[in-house]
């Protein structure tokens, strides 16, 4: 079984309340920690990787992001999916080739650029091209940015998600969807549903699973927790 097949299988036949929990490593060292803790797969957060490389979120050059993903992949024996933002303007074939060269088994792809939502039809067509280029070699997680861009109507997220699934996405990710609308999203969206969680805040991963989440990710939350811990240590040392 290939890494992508292993990763895809982790998303299916999950019991309610038992979502796939994917920590977000920002470098090789954090990836080793999460893998050693027993997590079966990992999913890099673009914002966390950007911070580790000294960039603001969304400002990481594509070459540096792919190189960082490759270092994370080499550090662990579990499948790694990569957040590659909106694809960096790469043609679908080149994007797929870069991901496979880095060793990723999947990817996050956003449906907004520079804070503006893309046309859902055009984005679905682009996702279909990514799927055609990847075949079954990559797990495609299509991020739905309606909630993060100020569109609070759950039906808008459902409509976009349905287009993306029809285009070949393996999973959809309505980032920052409120917990209260998750049952509605679950009822309206076919296939796996990715939900964002905040470490130590709000519903637990198990509770999110009970509301309909297939998998739970944390964005840059774990990297930011680690950064705060280092800041506290630094402050004590400076006293």
């Amino acid at each position: 079984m290939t890494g992508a097949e292993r990763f895809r299988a982790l998303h299916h036949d999950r019991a309610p309340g038992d979502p796939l929990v994917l920590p977000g490593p920002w470098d090789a060292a954090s990836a080793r920690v999460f893998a050693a803790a027993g997590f079966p797969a990992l999913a890099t957060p673009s914002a966390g990787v950007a911070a580790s490389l000294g960039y603001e979120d969304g400002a990481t050059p594509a070459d540096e992001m792919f190189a960082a993903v490759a270092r994370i992949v080499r550090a662990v024996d579990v499948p790694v999916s990569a957040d590659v933002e909106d694809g960096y303007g790469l043609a679908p074939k080149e994007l797929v080739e870069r991901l496979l060269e880095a060793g990723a088994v999947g990817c996050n792809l956003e449906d907004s650029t520079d804070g503006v939502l893309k046309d859902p039809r055009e984005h679905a067509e682009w996702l279909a091209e990514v799927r055609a280029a990847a075949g079954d070699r990559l797990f495609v997680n299509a991020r739905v940015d309606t909630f993060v861009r100020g569109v609070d109507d759950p039906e808008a997220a459902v409509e976009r998600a349905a287009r993306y699934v029809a285009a070949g996405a393996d999973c959809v990710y309505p980032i920052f969807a409120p917990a209260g609308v998750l049952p509605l999203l679950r009822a309206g969206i076919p296939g796996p549903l990715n939900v964002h969680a905040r470490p130590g805040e709000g519903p637990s991963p198990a509770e999110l699973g009970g509301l309909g989440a297939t998998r739970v990710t944390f964005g840059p939350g774990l990297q930011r927790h680690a950064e705060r811990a280092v800041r506290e240590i630094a402050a004590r040392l400076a006293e």
Side-chain angles (χ1 to χ4, degrees), residues 96-236:
V96 167
E97 289 173 351
R98 297 291 299 272
L99 285 162
L100 294 174
E101 287 171 1
V105 300
C107 59
N108 259 31
L109 295 169
E110 304 169 5
D111 69 347
S112 64
T113 299
D114 297 326
V116 178
L117 286 166
K118 297 180 180 180
D119 179 276
R121 294 176 182 83
E122 294 178 1
H123 188 62
E125 291 173 359
W126 182 77
L127 287 173
E129 293 181 34
V130 172
R131 168 54 67 210
D136 62 359
R137 298 177 296 170
L138 287 175
F139 183 98
V140 177
N141 187 35
R143 206 177 90 173
V144 178
D145 285 1
T146 51
F147 294 103
V148 78
R149 301 303 176 205
V151 181
D152 296 329
D153 181 4
E155 290 302 328
V158 169
E159 180 183 347
R160 284 177 174 263
R163 289 185 182 275
Y164 304 161
V165 171
D170 295 283
C171 182
V172 292
Y173 178 18
I175 188 170
F176 295 169
V181 305
L182 292 181
L184 178 60
L185 296 179
R186 176 68 285 163
I189 296 174
L193 179 66
N194 188 163
V195 174
H196 178 270
R198 293 174 173 81
E201 301 177 33
S204 69
E207 290 169 333
L208 292 173
L211 292 171
T214 307
R215 84 181 207 178
V216 174
T217 54
F218 304 92
L222 298 171
Q223 181 271 328
R224 290 173 180 169
H225 267 258
E227 184 177 339
R228 283 196 293 272
V230 172
R231 191 178 299 119
E232 292 171 2
I233 293 170
R236 291 196 295 271

Side-chain angles (χ1 to χ4, degrees), residues 2-5 7 42-44 65-66 69-74 78-84 95-108 134 136-139:
T2 66
E5 289 170 339
F7 189 65
L42 307 174
T44 69
M65 183 62 76
F66 287 114
V69 170
R71 288 191 293 272
I72 290 169
V73 169
R74 287 196 300 267
V78 298
V80 176
S81 182
D83 182 347
V84 288
L95 176 61
V96 167
E97 289 173 351
R98 297 291 299 272
L99 285 162
L100 294 174
E101 287 171 1
V105 300
C107 59
N108 259 31
D136 62 359
R137 298 177 296 170
L138 287 175
F139 183 98

